[in-house]
Amino acid sequence: MFFHRQEMQHTATPDKPDAVYARKLQEVLGGQYGEITVAMQYGFQAWNAHMPGKYRDLLYGIGAEEFGHVEMLAIMIAQLLEKAPLGITEDAVQNDPTVAAVIGATDVQAAIVAGAGVRPVDSNGNPWQGSYVTASGNLLADFTANANAEMQGRLQVARLYHMTDDAGVRDLLSFLLARDTMHQNQWLAAAAELRAEGVEDIPVPSNFPINKEERDVSYEYINFSNGEAASTGSWASGPTPDGKGEFTYLDGPQSTVPMPPPTHPDVRFYGTTEVPNTVEKVAGATQDKLHKE
């Protein structure tokens, strides 16, 4: 059950309207690493969780908080647009309001479609996509993805902080930066706790029989670049993080396999091959008569 309380976790009031910045702020609302993504991601991970207890509760708790962040950003964007100019200009270069809005870097659809309101889109107006969501059912894989999402999100908010001098906007961004700091730490702590408790381990999935993989190459760093500096990293020598092997370094692949010949699908896919057209036509007609669909 979801219940909405008409209060916010933090203030979200700009000092002045700014349609251009409103468009920029759309990225951390409806972009790949925006608040809509993490809210839905943590929600679906909770709904896909296969065990009760603290990890599922953690997902529900942070997911609900992120929906509140969606609301705060949406309200902030709407207020930035509330009294912004319509985009009408009168000069020798441009007097068409729609094109003027484009030149001014505002989101035309924020005015035309949403009536000076917020939309579930990124800063380029691309609609938010469910494909942004990672929810695999494996908690270690998901918590690691969550930490990455919070890192990417905090990075974008930090960049946006320097793109405005509006004290009200900066106040909200400062709060969101702090919550991203907390959530990065929470997901990393949760991932470490999963491993410490033996619930899951790396390599993920840890329950897959490791003897079914080709172990000879499990810990080889094969250098496919002409750069040599990577050979000095901890990923090229020494113990592996999973504790099951030692890294080795190979300067390029040590073996090759001949390329298989090109494929020849059913002639009724009408791909171009070296087989004469007349032969393919006969083959296709024969298959049709034999009902080989």
Side-chain angles (χ1 to χ4, degrees):
M1 179 185 295
F2 285 88
F3 177 83
H4 179 258
R5 177 177 292 173
Q6 295 187 30
E7 301 172 1
M8 291 195 297
Q9 191 181 5
H10 193 78
T11 55
T13 304
D15 290 348
K16 57 186 181 296
D18 187 340
V20 174
Y21 192 79
R23 178 174 179 174
K24 295 176 182 178
L25 207 54
Q26 284 280 169
E27 189 64 37
V28 290
L29 174 70
Q32 181 178 359
Y33 297 107
E35 298 289 358
I36 296 176
T37 294
V38 289
M40 295 299 289
Q41 180 157 307
Y42 306 160
F44 273 95
Q45 288 177 9
W47 302 324
N48 287 347
H50 305 302
M51 58 186 287
K54 60 185 176 183
Y55 298 115
R56 189 167 177 252
D57 288 357
L58 175 65
L59 286 162
Y60 273 125
I62 303 182
E65 179 184 355
E66 299 293 6
F67 275 108
H69 293 178
V70 171
E71 182 174 56
M72 285 189 292
L73 280 170
I75 289 173
M76 174 64 81
I77 292 169
Q79 289 180 98
L80 286 166
L81 292 167
E82 183 180 12
K83 296 180 180 179
L86 291 177
I88 300 174
T89 62
E90 296 289 347
D91 55 45
V93 177
Q94 184 54 248
N95 61 12
D96 181 276
T98 302
V99 180
V102 173
I103 292 174
T106 59
D107 183 352
V108 177
Q109 287 194 327
I112 300 171
V113 177
V118 66
R119 299 190 304 129
V121 300
D122 66 15
S123 55
N124 281 329
N126 301 309
W128 181 84
Q129 300 181 47
S131 59
Y132 296 156
V133 169
T134 298
S136 69
N138 183 290
L139 292 183
L140 185 53
D142 285 351
F143 290 176
T144 304
N146 294 351
N148 172 68
E150 296 286 351
M151 292 174 188
Q152 295 291 342
R154 190 173 189 274
L155 179 62
Q156 293 178 2
V157 173
R159 289 168 175 164
L160 281 163
Y161 186 92
H162 295 292
M163 296 180 186
T164 182
D165 58 1
D166 188 302
V169 175
R170 279 192 163 188
D171 178 62
L172 174 59
L173 297 184
S174 177
F175 175 77
L176 294 176
L177 285 163
R179 295 311 297 160
D180 286 345
T181 294
M182 176 58 178
H183 294 160
Q184 284 184 40
N185 281 280
Q186 280 185 296
W187 294 127
L188 292 171
E193 196 159 325
L194 280 170
R195 295 187 66 193
E197 294 179 346
V199 177
E200 182 57 277
D201 204 355
I202 56 173
V204 174
S206 58
N207 285 342
F208 183 81
I210 204 164
N211 62 349
K212 292 187 181 296
E213 68 178 54
E214 193 171 335
R215 294 293 288 167
D216 290 346
V217 297
S218 293
Y219 303 113
E220 284 185 348
Y221 174 55
I222 305 173
N223 186 20
F224 282 87
S225 169
N226 62 359
E228 299 177 355
S231 64
T232 64
S234 60
W235 53 83
S237 63
T240 58
D242 62 12
K244 298 179 175 67
E246 292 278 328
F247 284 123
T248 57
Y249 175 81
L250 293 177
D251 190 16
Q254 305 298 300
S255 62
T256 59
V257 177
M259 180 69 71
T263 57
H264 290 82
D266 190 304
V267 296
R268 292 168 296 177
F269 281 112
Y270 306 111
T272 303
T273 73
E274 77 280 8
V275 179
N277 280 352
T278 52
V279 175
E280 290 195 333
K281 285 180 181 178
V282 171
T286 302
Q287 289 170 310
D288 283 342
K289 289 180 180 179
L290 297 173
H291 301 290
K292 290 187 176 181
E293 304 298 341

